[in-house]
Amino acid sequence: MQDTRELIEKIAELKKKRNAVILAHNYVRGEVLDIADFLGDSLELSQKAVQLDADVILFCGVHFMAESAAVLSPNKTVLLPEIDARCPMADMVRVDGLRDLKQQHPDAAVVCYVNTTAEIKAECDICCTSANAIEVVKSLKEKKVIFAPDKNLADYVARNTDKQIIPWIGYCPTHNQILPIDIQKAKSMHPMAEILAHPECRREVLEMADKIFSTTGMVNYVRNSDSTEFIIATEGGLLHRLKKENPSKDFYLVSPYTICPDMKMIDLKAVADSLEQMKYVITVPEDIRVRAKQSLDRMLEIKRKR
């Protein structure tokens, strides 16, 4: 088996040969984060893909993230190193079920979390991220909103807007398993630490947090905070980046079980193999891509108007 140094050198050579850039989501393995050209959340990275002068975008994350990059950058080759790396929450919503819900509530706007497949994005009026979900929902003229697929994020939005939210009952297994007792245990061990929680967590967990942020929000907050200790209630991969960028601060994972198996599928060998063999190419049928892009563009338009 190739050692780490050989793999890193091979990846660098292949990147140059393919005119490729490597994008890595905050939750992937630390070894992959360390060799990536850009780090961030799924939408942030997909937007970055549009701006980059590269022929190949290698996306280290899960399937829907690579799809979003393909939706926004149809003229570039988008690779996902592990084709079976998927998002359980994104796979909890199906097109036929969402269409049935839309028929039941014809007067409702349809908002889909960016953590969805392109096929689902194509069925929605507008997308949102965990960072801008409240803002997106508030911007809609409709009083009733179908929100898919995360019931926890939907609940968070409902409590922070005056809209009637009709949630799809999906969830992130990693975030949903974080319980109040986990917060209590972590706080008892680290009483001076601030608790930062992702809005995909349950309501009772969010109510115990000091701050609620997306992963990018956590990165930015920690960087500028005077606090030196933080309990992190999200997927454990984020700690690698937080520790690396803030070596003088201490970070504690809320639970040792907050690890997403799909996010950990990609390792250095998978990255090297993907660039060498040009696998796996992620494409989106043009009719779906155009409609999915419209949902993303409407969200980005709100951001531009701010």
Side-chain angles (χ1 to χ4, degrees), residues 180-227:
I181 193 170
D182 296 313
I183 300 288
Q184 292 166 357
K185 286 180 179 178
K187 190 67 173 178
S188 67
M189 294 172 64
H190 309 287
M192 302 306 294
E194 278 194 76
I195 302 168
L196 309 185
H198 195 283
E200 288 179 22
C201 292
R202 298 166 179 259
R203 177 193 291 200
E204 53 267 35
V205 169
L206 297 182
E207 289 174 343
M208 298 173 73
D210 295 302
K211 303 288 183 181
I212 300 170
F213 288 121
S214 66
T215 55
T216 298
M218 290 184 190
V219 169
N220 294 335
Y221 178 77
V222 165
R223 182 186 300 125
N224 299 311
S225 175
D226 292 330
S227 298

